[in-house]
Amino acid sequence: MTQWVYGFGAGRNEGRADMRNLLGGKGANLAEMASIGLPVPPGFTITTEVCTHYTKNKGQYPTELDAQVQAALARIEDAVGAKFGDSDNPLLVSVRSGARVSMPGMMDTVLNLGLNDVTVEGLAKASGDQRFAWDSYRRFIQMFGSVVLGVDHHRFEEIIDEAKMAAGATEDTQLSSDDWRRVADEYKHMVQQVTGNPFPQEPTAQLWAAIGAVFGSWMNQRAITYRRLHDIPEEWGTAVNVQAMVFGNMGGDCATGVCFTRDPSTGENIFYGEYLINAQGEDVVAGIRTPQPMSSLKAKPGERSMEEAMPQAYAELVAVRATLEKHYADMQDIEFTVQRNKLYMLQTRNGKRTAAASLKIAVDMAEEGLIDRKEAVKRVNPSALDQLLHPTLDPSAPRKLLGRGLPASPGAACGVVVFSADEAEARAAKGEAVILVRIETSPEDIHGMHAARGILTTRGGMTSHAAVVARGMGRPCVAGAGGVVVDYSAQALSAGGVTVQAGGTITLDGATGEIFAGSVAMIEPKMSGDFATLMTWADEVRRMKVRTNAETPLDAETARKFGAEGIGLCRTEHMFFDPERIGAVRQMIMSETEGGRRDALAKLLPFQRKDFEDLFRIMAGLPVTIRLLDPPLHEFLPHKDEEMAEVAESLGADVQTMRRRAADLAEANPMLGHRGCRLGITYPEITEMQARAIFEAAVTIAKETGKAPVPEVMVPLVMTRKELEICRAQIEKVAEQVFAETGTTIEYMIGTMIELPRAAITADKIAECADFFSFGTNDLTQTTFGLSRDDAGKFLPLYVEKGILPKDPFVSIDIEGVGALVQTASEKGRKVKNALKLGICGEHGGDPASISFCESVGLDYVSCSPYRVPVARLAAAQAALSGGGDRTA
Ligand code: PEP
Ligand code: MG
């Protein structure tokens, strides 16, 4: 016979904490608490399987259920010494729902079930308190009426308000037993009017109606919506918990409370929570009376802590707190009641907490010996670390939402709106906080992005230029905010019916993608010693290395501070935009002859060499991967007429020629055009200059420090082995020249990005002439899906919302498609070359789920923007601990 009902308390515990699938979280933990000797009022749990049966069979219960419930109820009666429905000493019970995970939207709680016109007198006699009995009865009618019978709760409140008015009372506590008796009568009358039936008097009928309401609520619209939003399957079902009542509202020696075993916002090891003397359940959260703090340490002047008011029960609770933390080895969120100075536990579960608290609690618990270091590493959500590294909006600050975009780079920023990079730079130089607002950004805007506190774009996705660059710089960014209209000529943006002119203030939340009018108060991040401690523990278990994507000394230094173990991607094109260099870059592009191009490149060489020297010096012996020029050349030319004229003049060229060249270079599908290694193959002098700068810099640093860097020269956008062969030969030739000229030879590597499906599929061929592969999963996602990185923002959110794609594939790697290519390329590459070094440098290198995938494929390192380095260190450690990460889609 199937067991549908599991008893707990009073010496019979049929459940355990690990039975939450069957008993729900609440039921499993009640049984667990009872089994470790904590004071839990006796009760029973009706399993989630009954819910499934009930849903499938349109409200029918399994045949054995009735008998099992009766037997379980009889056991409670024996344990408590009271009888359900007894006119002298009635047993009262609570009925609560309890799914596997806590789920708002379900039927909540009915207390005092078993009361009726007769048993209320019995309760009065047994407790010796008329007022308590009638207050309990009216509470029962109110809860049962609203949650089981569906009567609008306002109807009950109106009756209480009238009763208070009639009695000249302002507080519920001022009402007498006669007042409550009248309220109960009026409630019953009103319920009959609304439902057409008398209020049920028979306790067993009340019980089954409440049980049915819990199971029925599993399929109500709110619960269905909540499940859809949180990926909770319908098959899980909910359990029902029926438990003997204990009363926190029987007088001054009674209380009820809700608390956390540690402070859930800071993680401090202090009993944190609220209690109310002479109150029942809902009173603590209902806000009718002001709850008081648990610990005297938390009491403000005028407050009376439980520690002070009820020392005996408090001491018992402190002991329970220690037992629970030791048993569950985690911070607990508990509910309790004190009845006549005796403590009863009504619930425990792992408590929700902020990122800061989760870090502190994990480290403290490991140091207290409650968990080991590996467990501490597993306990902190890597994505939550972002919150600790950036300013965040003060949750209590008022705000007015203007619009939303993609949460492209975390952190909050507030400043005046500017619409051009130059203006951003100029105003920032005067000490103003600015937000750079653009329809989209391009490499030309980098100086303005750097000067700005935050960046807002109305086009582009999570790997658009703005998003990638902002993350690299640690600037908060909201990208692709399609609902915001930017009018450059009017120097204004409009969103949500509001227009903000240049110079007006807005606030961005890069973690949520929200845009607010005016300034919203912020909280500065505090990096605690716990952060460093947890990172050290993570590093002890991590297998994959963590590098950074960086090209400026500032970014490289920031990344080192965050623990980066080298550079995985230096995008050299970002070094071309500096005002001192862009002229030479443009001169090179405008030259019709190789000689002309070489002259221009000769001007760039010293700059590039210095850039690489700086990076090698900062990275002191760590690997540095330098990627040869990647973007199509038109990105370096001006686009507007007046700029064209200016640039033409400075280059001694005429505007016509300039326009013609720009038209020649224009591409319909730029990211599939003349870019990547295709540039170096058509203009070998570009590769030669860059290779020379790399090797000369490496030799200089080797001589200066005595420690030679090992440059890794990376060829972008390779689609065939032949391309890499050609580029490799070019690079090797320059290396030999530099070594001969300087009399110094250093070690180096030549490898390629794998960012085209063809390259992944033919990786065995390509590996024959590569020392390493770095997966450029931004382009690989773009080319695998045929989905433009810069245009997908317009419709991708809808795809995710409709479930066509489970997540934005530019944020978290598409394991099924792009991941399969990464895996194929890794396997094919390693088959040819066992020691082939494998890494990832697309934006996925900083995303915890993608990092877990990288571990499963056996990559050697991940590379991400500087501010994500700690996130990646922790995620890589967790992936190692979970034994190879997640390979499933
Ligand atoms: C990539 O494509 O994943 C990559 C790292 O290169 P970029 O983003 O510069 O195209
Ligand atoms: Mg790329």
Side-chain angles (χ1 to χ4, degrees), residues 627 630 675 753 755 779 789:
R627 181 176 73 184
D630 185 17
R675 58 167 289 213
M753 310 264 300
E755 49 186 348
D779 273 313
R789 278 157 80 167

Side-chain angles (χ1 to χ4, degrees), residues 256 324 446 620 650 658 861:
T256 186
L324 281 175
I446 289 202
S650 71
M658 183 103 202
Y861 69 86

Side-chain angles (χ1 to χ4, degrees), residues 569 571 573 627 630 671 675 716-717 753 755 775-780 782 789 841-842:
L569 174 63
R571 291 178 165 105
E573 62 270 18
R627 181 176 73 184
D630 185 17
M671 284 310 156
R675 58 167 289 213
L717 213 79
M753 310 264 300
E755 49 186 348
F775 290 98
T777 43
N778 301 336
D779 273 313
L780 192 56
Q782 170 161 269
R789 278 157 80 167
C841 63

Side-chain angles (χ1 to χ4, degrees), residues 118 149 206 265 328 400 409 595 686 799 828 836 846:
V118 178
L149 303 176
Q206 292 173 353
S265 49
Y328 284 93
K400 180 176 176 347
S409 176
I686 301 180
Y799 263 54
K828 287 191 154 192
L836 188 73

Side-chain angles (χ1 to χ4, degrees), residues 672 678 717-719 754-761 779-780 783:
L672 299 177
R678 301 161 197 175
L717 213 79
V718 158
M719 55 188 178
I754 298 288
E755 49 186 348
L756 293 175
R758 192 185 190 287
I761 293 165
D779 273 313
L780 192 56
T783 48

Side-chain angles (χ1 to χ4, degrees), residues 185-203:
D185 281 345
E186 282 176 38
Y187 274 3
K188 282 185 290 175
H189 190 68
M190 182 272 289
V191 167
Q192 175 148 21
Q193 261 187 343
V194 173
T195 65
N197 291 310
F199 186 82
Q201 289 288 310
E202 215 288 298

